[in-house]
Structure formats: C-alpha cells, structure tokens
Amino acid sequence: MEYSVKFSGNLTISNIVDAHAALAEAMEREGAVVLNLDDVADADLTFAQLLEAARRTAAARGQRIRLEKPAEGALLQVLQRGGFLEPDDSERLNFWSGGKTQS
C-alpha cells in the first residue's frame, strides 16, 4: 500500500513543523510513501533537508519513499545550490529525480 503526502504553498523554516508532522505521520504507517510536490510555491534548505532526512530514514528502515515526479521550480533551485544533486550519490540523485535516473 502507498500513502500519498501532498505538500503545497511555501515550505520554509517558518512553517517546516507542519511539513514534518505530515511526513512523519505517513512514515509511521506500513507501506511506501509518495510525495506530491506539484503545489509547492516556495521552498528553502530546511524543506530539502527534511526530505533528505526522510529518504535516509526510510532507507534505514527498509521503507520505500519517492517523489511522484522530479523536483522542479524553487525546490530544484535549492537542491542545485545546496549540492543535493551531485552525481556521486546515485541513490540521492535518483530520489530527487523522481526515479527518472539510472542507478
């Protein structure tokens, strides 16, 4: 079973607590977690770090977490500036690309 988490609006340090709560709730369930970022208007490094921590936690638990489609817009810019898309980490690059890269 898959659980979908839809994020929207501005996902920045000022409201990251709400994003964390929604993500933590989905990850507590058994099954895969699918993240929908279509309606994200703005994002900062805290949101990128939250999703990166979720990715690592899921991997350690043997849980599947993925983006519904590749990161884009403001989040993609944050990822590029923050060094999240370096080609030396294929698992991380595959996550942020929505599974659209080859491992």
Side-chain angles (χ1 to χ4, degrees):
M1 175 165 256
E2 286 188 339
Y3 296 96
S4 181
V5 181
K6 184 174 179 92
F7 292 103
S8 62
N10 295 328
L11 296 163
T12 61
I13 195 167
S14 62
N15 59 8
I16 200 67
V17 172
D18 295 334
H20 177 269
L23 188 55
E25 181 181 334
M27 290 183 69
E28 287 174 4
R29 302 175 185 197
E30 290 186 26
V33 177
V34 180
L35 308 177
N36 180 309
L37 308 177
D38 287 346
D39 296 328
V40 173
D42 192 21
D44 68 6
L45 192 56
T46 55
F47 184 62
Q49 290 172 325
L50 173 67
L51 295 187
E52 180 63 17
R55 180 188 74 81
R56 289 178 181 208
T57 299
R61 292 180 181 171
Q63 184 178 26
R64 187 159 183 253
I65 186 170
R66 67 179 177 86
L67 301 184
E68 195 169 275
K69 66 182 198 179
E72 57 187 23
L75 179 57
L76 181 59
Q77 292 174 6
V78 167
L79 296 172
Q80 290 168 334
R81 286 192 312 262
F84 287 86
L85 303 178
E86 297 299 319
D88 61 332
D89 188 336
S90 62
E91 286 183 25
R92 180 171 40 189
L93 190 57
N94 194 48
F95 173 78
W96 290 114
S97 68
K100 302 295 189 241
T101 65
Q102 295 179 353
S103 297

